[in-house]
Amino acid sequence: MASYTICCLPGDGIGPEIIAEAKRVLERVAELEGFSLTMEDHLIGGAAIDACLAAGEPATALPAATLEAARAADAVLLASVGGPAWESDDPAAPRPEQGLLAIRSELGLYLNLRPVKVYAPLRSASALKPELLEGVDLLIVRELTGGLYFGAKERIEDAPGAGEDGACGVWCSDAMEYGEWEVERVLRWAFECASRRPRGRLTSVDKANVLFTSRLWREVAHRLATEWPEVDYEDLYVDNAAMQLVAEPAHFDVICTENTFGDILSDEAAQLTGSLGMLASASLGRGTPLFEPSHGSAPDLAGRDVANPLAQILSAALLLRHGLLEEDAAARIERAVERVLEDGWRTADIADETTPADRVLGTRAMGDKVLEALV
Ligand code: NAD
């Protein structure tokens, strides 16, 4: 029997409540599919900072023991971090979000996947007209550790310039930098992924009419397209892609793009579903893969048993698919979530005025419904 270890990071806010439901679902699906899972909780974010302070140790949002456990595991399941308790005006104070950035970078996770699926029963939650949403099931593959966010940065306080007195005031620059190998490893993944999906379409998004980095991106993409002739490949400029995502979202299958464009397009695409509580994500790369919901720690909902656990449960499905290669188990969870929604069950964030009050469930009860639907 295959056996796997999962490093679970509940974090802060609603994190502990939603990850508890995902763990119950994982345990049950492992039983049904015949593999064994060892799941261990570790500290990250504000919870880690508090534990360090209580032990009289220097505060960190990513303790060494957590990193060690993450490195040793087959996959990491993360909930969310952050909250008002750790906000501070002191720039030197440790922040929960440092734990997130640190774990992604320590594990060498250089690409992010965000599936965006519009579930038929939730179409009315989207800001778009329901007829535009039919068949929307796309995957955004985003480069995660290069480009503008990680390039050279500079700030000059009193720069010379072309202002009235020959001064500019403050001058800043962020360099967008990419090496061919960085582009190639992400695009290779996207081609492979597109070739395995039923529609087999890959849209590579760039700004090759203006940016050198985008010209490199496009060169590499065209070279790789010859290796995957079965993939229906197209290029799109990022401004056009932003427009097409809301004009004709069902056109897209896999979208692959660099870091900044991917950051913006993935949040735009998230709005197609109308709810943050439904979106899962995966970060993959050299080290242990990491899976998490796309939303934050929702401190306003913490401890009230009202948060939607479905994005976390769908992150567990992604973990099974991309982290453990247990496709049947992943598909079983996704079918269960779909069935629960078709049966009309909702958490408060995805309920609307047509939802009867007795169909609106809390976090735990929604977890129960997914468990029942897993069979
Ligand atoms: P958020 O995603 O936590 O919440 C935004 C809104 O969505 C809130 O109204 C919240 O109640 C709602 N929401 C989020 N998840 C939900 C769920 N599962 N079910 C129902 N409703 C849900 O974003 P925010 O309010 O900007 O940030 C709150 C905290 O989370 C901050 O400390 C922020 O830094 C942190 N954060 C963490 C992550 C992460 O851990 N990856 C990501 C974003 C924000």
Side-chain angles (χ1 to χ4, degrees):
M1 186 198 277
S3 76
Y4 310 100
T5 304
I6 301 178
C7 171
C8 297
L9 307 177
D12 310 316
I14 59 172
E17 295 165 67
I18 56 175
I19 210 169
E21 299 316 308
K23 283 164 73 178
R24 291 205 295 150
V25 169
L26 280 168
E27 265 160 20
R28 181 81 187 110
V29 88
E31 263 169 44
L32 291 167
E33 295 287 337
F35 55 87
S36 97
L37 290 179
T38 305
M39 292 187 269
E40 291 170 5
D41 281 359
H42 292 275
L43 294 168
I44 194 166
I49 293 172
D50 288 352
C52 293
L53 294 175
E57 291 165 8
T60 170
L62 181 65
T66 300
L67 184 57
E68 203 178 307
R71 285 205 170 112
D74 294 298
V76 176
L77 184 65
L78 169 69
S80 50
V81 299
W86 300 281
E87 277 164 19
S88 159
D89 292 335
D90 175 4
R95 287 182 296 108
E97 292 75 9
Q98 288 166 340
L100 276 187
L101 299 181
I103 196 167
R104 288 179 191 146
S105 122
E106 290 288 343
L107 296 177
L109 304 175
Y110 56 77
L111 73 85
N112 181 262
L113 299 183
R114 195 187 280 190
V116 177
K117 181 171 170 154
V118 179
Y119 293 91
L122 298 184
R123 268 188 217 153
S124 62
S126 171
L128 291 197
K129 291 183 200 136
E131 59 269 28
L132 286 177
L133 297 169
E134 201 170 330
V136 171
D137 182 2
L138 59 94
L139 177 70
I140 299 190
V141 180
R142 165 187 168 196
E143 200 287 328
L144 205 54
T145 52
L148 215 43
Y149 297 174
F150 293 85
K153 298 186 184 301
E154 201 179 349
R155 179 180 164 112
I156 300 175
E157 292 305 321
D158 231 338
E164 268 178 24
D165 51 1
C168 152
V170 178
W171 178 92
C172 286
S173 142
D174 298 279
M176 186 156 181
E177 301 174 49
Y178 270 112
E180 189 173 352
W181 62 280
E182 270 177 303
V183 173
E184 181 160 344
R185 64 185 178 178
V186 173
L187 276 163
R188 273 197 179 279
W189 208 96
F191 271 105
E192 187 60 40
C193 199
S195 73
R196 293 209 216 117
R197 287 170 61 102
R199 289 163 64 206
R201 171 175 291 167
L202 174 61
T203 306
S204 170
V205 172
D206 62 36
K207 189 72 183 165
N209 48 347
V210 181
L211 300 174
F212 264 37
T213 44
S214 280
R215 281 184 212 159
L216 170 64
W217 185 277
R218 198 173 274 212
E219 268 168 48
V220 175
H222 285 196
R223 170 162 57 77
L224 297 184
T226 61
E227 289 183 36
W228 278 274
E230 73 280 19
V231 169
D232 175 12
Y233 174 84
E234 64 179 0
D235 301 303
L236 214 56
Y237 293 137
V238 63
D239 40 350
N240 193 9
M243 206 163 59
Q244 296 306 325
L245 255 179
V246 285
E248 203 191 341
H251 166 82
F252 295 101
D253 185 14
V254 177
I255 296 175
C256 184
T257 190
E258 64 86 45
N259 202 348
T260 308
F261 299 161
D263 192 7
I264 297 166
L265 291 181
S266 58
D267 271 20
E268 185 192 2
Q271 275 311 303
L272 300 173
T273 68
S275 172
L276 264 177
M278 298 297 301
L279 288 164
S281 83
S283 299
L284 313 177
R286 287 193 304 277
T288 314
L290 182 147
F291 303 84
E292 59 185 313
S294 301
H295 58 70
S297 61
D300 50 327
L301 309 181
R304 294 170 45 202
D305 189 38
V306 290
N308 183 349
L310 294 178
Q312 183 79 70
I313 290 171
L314 291 167
S315 305
L318 282 188
L319 180 153
L320 292 166
R321 171 171 300 121
H322 297 291
L324 309 184
L325 307 182
E326 293 283 355
E327 173 60 35
D328 291 348
R332 198 191 271 267
I333 294 180
E334 289 165 347
R335 275 198 310 274
V337 168
E338 232 167 320
R339 207 168 299 148
V340 166
L341 296 172
E342 276 159 14
D343 289 346
W345 300 108
R346 303 282 185 272
T347 42
D349 59 309
I350 51 173
D352 63 18
E353 60 289 350
T354 65
T355 313
D358 63 355
R359 294 263 143 176
V360 181
L361 303 174
T363 312
R364 179 83 179 175
M366 183 53 106
D368 288 340
K369 287 292 168 205
V370 177
L371 281 176
E372 281 167 25
L374 271 179
V375 287

